[in-house]
Amino acid sequence: MNDSPGWATPGSDPSDGERPGAPTDRPVTGDPKWSAEQPPPGQWTSPTPGQTPPPQAPQQPQQPGQGWGSHGGQYGSPYGGQYGYPGGPGQWGQPPAAKPGVIPLRPLGLGEILDGAVATMRSHWRSVLPITLVVATVVQVLSLLAQKYAMSDLTVATEPGADLEESLNSIAVAMGALIGASFIAALGGIVATAMLTMIYSRAVLGNTSTISGAWRESRSQLLRLFGLTLLLGLGAVLLAAVLIVPGALTRNAGLIAVGIFAVIPLITWLWIKFSLASPALMLEKTTVFKALGRSSKLVKGTWWRIFGITLLTNIITGIVAAIIVWPLTMIGMAVFGGGLGGIEDGTAATAWGALILSGIGAIIAQTIVMPIQAGVTVLLYVDQRIRREGLDLELARAAGIENYGTTGG
């Protein structure tokens, strides 16, 4: 692996018909291609001299569903067994897994993924927080202006006696402002995600990053990341249109309901299936469609696990954001928006004081929440590649750990 955090060449996936450690004609070089030399299962260290090893139970045939990978442990990890990673439970006399950075180099649990995301934000705050703070501030300023003037135009357009043509123009202007603000917010989110991905990838190795360094390493992939985001968004919209529009055109409420109930699980399934495409695109320096394919392979067989971790992360960050935003929003409406009367007639939501306080809360919340969400996604990607492709061996070599994963330590 070179000095950059981009793991450009992925290892063989078990679904491709190879398993880590199998003989291969691929040369072992310094670039991030997987080594043909993989550690044998359960042979990380020998017992201390004079110490009697515990009796070994007879080997049982591998049962489906065991092991770390999606193929019942047969190929999923180079370590084999149900707990075959270095330092895992049940491995007598073995040292803990190396931890050069924010995570141990072995398959990760839920707590370790969340802790790694928070630990990176805490230890690398000089790089992480300025990025998210700038993006959140720009997004919220534009959102505040859009809400102030777009919502005012919508209020005027819906007042009794308003001219139809003027109302349509006001609605069009308001919607255009909201769409424009959303587009700028999406661009800001893409830039932040790209730079945070590079910072987290270096944090895994224990390396620090600068803002300029993260920008330099991510900018070559920004257009592709934008294309990936746009493609996923358009795909979701088209899928919803195909399933819901026929019912709307025929004015069939039952058909509309069936379309809605069908589109929600389908979009959720695709969302998780392609959730690792962004880090794959950035770290492997690949194309949009190859990144989608990589995500699909990495998620295969572990969809529910990734869904659960992603959902829990969104719930936690949503609660954190609500705790920060809602009190400031309610105080702003009560103090600057005319109290309950302003809330009832809708004027409280567009009062400058209420909007500013709400925007400050949103900036603080996004500054905290954005790096956690990005970090969990990157660490899920790393975790899946450790489980399927033995990425921890390559990471250990990149971190300068000698003889990692070989007999005798």
Side-chain angles (χ1 to χ4, degrees):
M1 187 179 300
N2 55 28
D3 188 49
S4 73
W7 303 306
T9 306
S12 61
D13 189 275
S15 60
D16 296 332
E18 298 182 34
R19 66 184 176 89
T24 177
D25 296 333
R26 190 161 39 203
V28 180
T29 63
D31 65 6
K33 298 181 180 178
W34 303 123
S35 171
E37 181 182 356
Q38 298 286 354
Q43 296 181 12
W44 292 95
T45 58
S46 57
T48 306
Q51 189 175 8
T52 304
Q56 297 294 322
Q59 282 284 359
Q60 297 294 329
Q62 184 72 34
Q63 298 296 325
Q66 293 181 347
W68 291 104
S70 63
H71 293 262
Q74 186 177 5
Y75 312 118
S77 168
Y79 312 117
Q82 188 172 5
Y83 300 103
Y85 57 82
Q91 302 274 320
W92 182 84
Q94 293 175 2
K99 188 178 179 181
V102 294
I103 58 169
L105 299 183
R106 57 167 170 76
L108 305 174
L110 167 62
E112 290 168 326
I113 291 174
L114 292 173
D115 180 68
V118 175
T120 302
M121 184 176 68
R122 185 174 60 247
S123 58
H124 299 268
W125 63 269
R126 289 181 178 84
S127 301
V128 172
L129 295 185
I131 294 172
T132 54
L133 178 61
V134 169
V135 170
T137 301
V138 172
V139 167
Q140 288 305 315
V141 168
L142 292 174
S143 177
L144 184 150
L145 294 174
Q147 288 180 58
K148 174 64 179 177
Y149 296 108
M151 294 301 295
S152 299
D153 288 342
L154 285 175
T155 302
V156 171
T158 55
E159 287 180 355
D163 182 77
L164 178 60
E165 185 176 353
E166 291 181 358
S167 297
L168 292 176
N169 289 335
S170 298
I171 292 173
V173 171
M175 294 304 296
L178 292 173
I179 292 172
S182 299
F183 180 76
I184 297 297
L187 286 180
I190 290 170
V191 172
T193 298
M195 296 177 70
L196 290 173
T197 298
M198 296 305 173
I199 292 173
Y200 272 90
S201 69
R202 284 192 173 275
V204 168
L205 300 175
N207 299 331
T208 58
S209 298
T210 62
I211 296 175
S212 60
W215 167 253
R216 185 171 57 253
E217 291 161 354
S218 63
R219 63 186 177 186
S220 62
Q221 291 293 94
L222 281 178
L223 284 179
R224 287 178 174 176
L225 185 59
F226 175 76
L228 174 66
T229 305
L230 183 62
L231 181 63
L232 292 175
L234 289 177
V237 171
L238 290 175
L239 180 60
V242 168
L243 294 175
I244 297 175
V245 168
L249 292 177
T250 58
R251 298 183 181 180
N252 188 322
L255 192 57
I256 293 175
V258 170
I260 292 174
F261 280 112
V263 77
I264 292 174
L266 278 174
I267 288 180
T268 302
W269 177 69
L270 291 172
W271 167 47
I272 299 300
K273 181 180 178 69
F274 299 126
S275 61
L276 305 183
S278 174
L281 179 80
M282 297 303 302
L283 296 177
E284 296 176 19
K285 305 298 183 184
T286 186
T287 62
V288 170
F289 291 102
K290 286 183 179 179
L292 292 172
R294 285 287 291 152
S295 178
S296 178
K297 285 184 177 181
L298 291 173
V299 171
K300 184 179 179 181
T302 55
W303 189 95
W304 283 106
R305 177 177 179 271
I306 294 175
F307 170 74
I309 294 174
T310 304
L311 179 62
L312 180 61
T313 301
N314 287 335
I315 290 173
I316 292 173
T317 54
I319 292 173
V320 171
I323 290 173
I324 297 172
V325 173
W326 278 105
L328 290 175
T329 300
M330 298 309 296
I331 291 172
M333 287 185 176
V335 175
F336 302 103
L340 293 177
I343 294 174
E344 290 178 358
D345 61 23
T347 58
T350 58
W352 275 113
L355 287 173
I356 290 173
L357 276 181
S358 177
I360 291 173
I363 289 172
I364 297 172
Q366 285 188 358
T367 301
I368 296 172
V369 163
M370 196 185 303
I372 295 176
Q373 292 176 329
V376 167
T377 301
V378 173
L379 295 182
L380 271 173
Y381 164 83
V382 173
D383 175 55
Q384 287 302 108
R385 289 194 64 178
I386 288 175
R387 291 170 184 267
R388 289 180 175 270
E389 302 169 349
L391 180 64
D392 53 328
L393 302 178
E394 194 65 40
L395 292 176
R397 284 191 285 270
I401 302 173
E402 298 293 337
N403 300 321
Y404 181 77
T406 60
T407 302

